[in-house]
Amino acid sequence: MTSMALNQAAGLSGMLKAGHTHYTDSVLKNVEAANELSRMVATSLGPNGMNKLVVNHLEKIFVTSDCATIVRELEIEHPAAKILQMAAERQHEECGDATNLTVSFAGELLKLTEDLLRQGLHTSEVIAGYQSASSKLTELLQTLTCKQITDPREEDQLVQVISPVLQAKQYGIHEILAPLVAKACLLVMGGASDTKAPSVQPESIRVVKILGSNVQQSQLVRGYVAQRPVSSDIQDIPEDAKIVVFGCGVEASSTEAKGTVLMKNAEDLKSYNKTEEAKMEEIIKGIADSGVNVIVSGGTVSEMALHFINRYNLLCIKVSSKWELRRLCQAVRATALVRLGPPTPDEMGHANSVKQQEIGGRAVTVFTGSGDARLATIVLRASTSSLLQDIERAIDDGVHAVQQACRDGRLIPGAGATEAHLSVKIKQFADTCPGLDQYSIRAFAKALEFVPRTLAENAGLDAPRVVADLTAAHAAGENDMGVDITGESERGITNCGEVVDLLVTKESAFRLAIDAALTVLKVDQIIMSKQAGGPK
């Protein structure tokens, strides 16, 4: 029976269940944990960012500079650092890009907060100052628009949005990938004659990774590419392919209940086999008579079924993944059937052609989509599997950027120009604020310098000099000046030109970073229950 008496001498331990742990005065400990995570990913910021080699609990190796992937696979246990991880995951889900900015800026804010607390400021005063600076930052961001995407259905404008996103992940090959991603987005978006507002669903753009060759050999396919060969003798339907998709296998169905067949002589055995063959032929003949010339099976294709498929000159392919089967149905506008038999016209899919090709020594089946198909496939080529996976993540970020551009096409200067300008303006705002809030507002402005400073450090430039020159330029009204990562300019700064960021992405990253930092600051005690389960 549970005792209702409280042992006051035991304190908190006497109130909570045995096995719990608790930490008091944990503000500085939380700040230290979050700052450690921020320092880890900061070196991966920007085009010259370094890769991390992460081995997860399944011993799968990731070689990437993508912050969202790094923090997801690290299996962070500290509750405060986990808050930054959740902010990065949310930014990745909403915008796809600027996850590193979210974690790095939150960590830098908390690092400067530690100095303020040691100087004697109270946490509530720091939080009040950060909230005032956050409101000012949101207000200033709206005034920094330098360009705008007026028509998302123009390839040049999409490349302008996608290219900076890909540069941050795959600098050097963005010129090859950006037009590919832009064309893929245009395919699923629809033409100018489409009356609907332009929009892109990231699920509609599929990436097929084939090891070998180089990135220059990557190509775009309008439709679907299955990474397996054709099962039948017929390997090419050059035009007007009519497709039936079965969610089940193409084979004789077996009953749930067991049955016994008594055969008295050889004639009974012959007639039994003939009956099964006749039934299968009837099914395949019915499918062929309906006009279908391509069969897609979600399960096993029996040898008997394959014999009749070849007899009636049908093409057959097996797609075992339910997810891939759903993608194929989307590409050819078909309905996956759970019964063997001829499809109705509404259930039948259509494609311009279906053919087997060989790419990099690997046989694949290409379904070239019809005019109303809203699915595109990018066939990626690269020399290593880790590079293929990293390029796939970069393409996913680029597609998310187009999705955001369709909603809000306003662009602001990149290359650290926006952060440098905001830092200058918020320092000026701090001078007008009375009271102790001004110290935390200045710390907020200093935290914004972290982005141009880190870009300069990762590019091997003299970071203090670059930040000083950049601050002076923005104070003089040169709002488009950013960090020159190529090192061609004498001062390390240059007009950012075509390097731009989406306003909505940057705004979301700042909002999530500030919310995460304030959440960590408001925690003064951590109480953890005993973990469930046995030994780990």
Side-chain angles (χ1 to χ4, degrees):
M1 182 175 177
T2 305
S3 174
M4 298 299 292
L6 174 63
N7 183 1
Q8 295 184 355
L12 186 63
S13 299
M15 180 181 71
L16 298 176
K17 192 174 180 180
H20 83 282
T21 53
H22 69 279
Y23 307 92
T24 55
D25 299 328
S26 60
V27 174
L28 292 179
K29 295 176 184 176
N30 293 342
V31 167
E32 184 180 351
N35 190 34
E36 192 65 34
L37 178 62
S38 170
R39 279 204 302 268
M40 188 186 301
V41 300
T43 54
S44 298
L45 182 68
N48 295 107
M50 302 296 288
N51 287 340
K52 308 294 181 187
L53 195 154
V54 182
V55 183
N56 69 1
H57 65 290
L58 298 174
E59 297 186 4
K60 186 177 180 180
I61 298 174
F62 295 85
V63 182
T64 180
S65 62
D66 183 45
C67 177
T69 304
I70 294 169
V71 299
R72 184 181 68 244
E73 299 299 334
L74 282 179
E75 294 188 3
I76 297 168
E77 287 191 0
H78 195 285
K82 213 169 182 63
I83 292 172
L84 267 64
Q85 179 191 19
M86 290 188 288
E89 288 175 352
R90 188 62 190 159
Q91 173 69 11
H92 182 67
E93 290 172 8
E94 287 185 2
C95 304
D97 191 27
T99 51
N100 203 318
L101 174 62
T102 303
V103 177
S104 300
F105 182 61
E108 187 69 10
L109 268 182
L110 292 171
K111 177 185 175 183
L112 295 175
T113 301
E114 184 177 357
D115 297 335
L116 295 174
L117 294 176
R118 295 190 189 282
Q119 290 171 15
L121 264 72
H122 193 267
T123 309
S124 61
E125 293 166 341
V126 175
I127 291 172
Y130 282 173
Q131 287 174 336
S132 299
S134 175
S135 300
K136 187 66 176 177
L137 180 141
T138 306
E139 177 187 326
L140 289 169
L141 269 177
Q142 311 302 320
T143 65
L144 292 179
T145 304
C146 60
K147 296 177 183 177
Q148 186 159 1
I149 301 300
T150 55
D151 185 6
R153 290 192 172 97
E154 283 191 15
E155 184 180 335
D156 293 341
Q157 295 194 31
L158 289 187
V159 170
Q160 193 176 20
V161 172
I162 297 166
S163 188
V165 176
L166 297 183
Q167 282 185 55
K169 305 288 192 306
Q170 296 293 329
Y171 187 64
I173 58 175
H174 60 278
E175 295 177 354
I176 302 165
L177 295 176
L180 270 182
V181 178
K183 289 173 183 174
C185 291
L186 290 173
L187 280 180
V188 301
M189 197 184 296
S193 59
D194 198 333
T195 56
K196 295 181 181 178
S199 64
V200 173
Q201 296 300 323
E203 299 81 15
S204 299
I205 297 176
R206 184 172 175 269
V207 175
V208 170
K209 304 184 291 290
I210 298 179
L211 196 62
S213 191
N214 53 37
V215 181
Q216 283 84 353
Q217 301 301 316
S218 300
Q219 56 183 296
L220 175 66
V221 176
R222 179 176 192 152
Y224 177 89
V225 177
Q227 296 189 69
R228 60 182 307 124
V230 169
S231 303
S232 59
D233 294 341
I234 303 296
Q235 298 185 352
D236 185 8
I237 304 294
E239 57 183 14
D240 192 22
K242 296 181 180 178
I243 305 161
V244 61
V245 180
F246 293 113
C248 55
V250 182
E251 56 186 348
S253 57
S254 57
T255 58
E256 294 182 4
K258 291 184 178 180
T260 303
V261 179
L262 182 61
M263 298 180 183
K264 295 181 180 180
N265 49 47
E267 293 299 325
D268 291 347
L269 181 59
K270 286 182 180 179
S271 62
Y272 180 79
N273 287 338
K274 285 179 181 178
T275 305
E276 189 177 357
E277 289 181 14
K279 183 62 179 175
M280 181 57 69
E281 183 176 11
E282 180 187 341
I283 292 171
I284 301 301
K285 184 176 184 301
I287 292 172
D289 290 343
S290 67
V292 168
N293 47 22
V294 178
I295 296 176
V296 179
S297 172
T300 308
V301 181
S302 68
E303 291 184 9
M304 187 187 300
L306 197 56
H307 167 74
F308 290 114
I309 286 171
N310 290 329
R311 176 182 288 185
Y312 288 97
N313 295 324
L314 303 180
L315 184 147
C316 179
I317 179 174
K318 185 173 73 172
V319 179
S320 53
S321 168
K322 298 294 182 186
W323 174 251
E324 296 296 333
L325 204 66
R326 196 179 304 124
R327 281 278 185 88
L328 176 58
C329 289
Q330 180 187 354
V332 301
R333 301 290 177 136
T335 303
L337 306 179
V338 293
R339 53 168 176 79
L340 275 181
T344 63
D346 293 336
E347 296 169 338
M348 197 183 299
H350 298 271
N352 290 343
S353 66
V354 178
K355 59 183 176 180
Q356 179 177 302
Q357 292 182 356
E358 188 172 324
I359 301 177
R362 184 170 182 174
V364 299
T365 306
V366 179
F367 292 76
T368 306
S370 56
D372 60 345
R374 293 293 177 88
L375 188 136
T377 302
I378 297 175
V379 180
L380 272 185
R381 306 299 310 281
S383 55
T384 64
S385 57
S386 59
L387 180 58
L388 277 173
Q389 291 168 2
D390 210 24
I391 294 174
E392 182 183 16
R393 285 188 283 267
I395 287 175
D396 183 61
D397 290 349
V399 174
H400 275 86
V402 174
Q403 185 185 35
Q404 295 297 323
C406 290
R407 298 172 183 170
D408 187 346
R410 289 178 292 173
L411 302 172
I412 56 178
T418 295
E419 289 80 4
H421 182 79
L422 291 172
S423 177
V424 169
K425 293 298 181 183
I426 291 176
K427 281 178 184 174
Q428 295 173 359
F429 171 65
D431 295 337
T432 65
C433 296
L436 296 175
D437 290 359
Q438 61 181 295
Y439 293 100
S440 52
I441 295 174
R442 282 199 186 92
F444 188 98
K446 187 177 179 182
L448 287 165
E449 294 177 356
F450 171 80
V451 175
R453 185 174 71 248
T454 305
L455 288 173
E457 287 174 353
N458 291 346
L461 305 176
D462 184 358
R465 179 186 173 186
V466 169
V467 172
D469 289 344
L470 198 59
T471 302
H474 281 270
E478 299 178 46
N479 298 341
D480 290 335
M481 297 301 287
V483 179
D484 180 17
I485 61 168
T486 60
E488 294 178 357
S489 60
E490 183 180 348
R491 295 193 300 164
I493 62 175
T494 184
N495 191 304
C496 59
E498 297 299 317
V499 181
V500 290
D501 293 321
L502 281 166
L503 171 62
V504 64
T505 301
K506 188 79 81 174
E507 191 175 14
S508 172
F510 281 133
R511 186 187 72 249
L512 287 168
I514 294 165
D515 287 348
L518 295 183
T519 302
V520 171
L521 284 179
K522 289 179 181 178
V523 176
D524 71 336
Q525 192 171 9
I526 298 176
I527 305 165
M528 301 172 66
S529 301
K530 181 181 178 181
Q531 289 191 358
K536 296 181 181 178

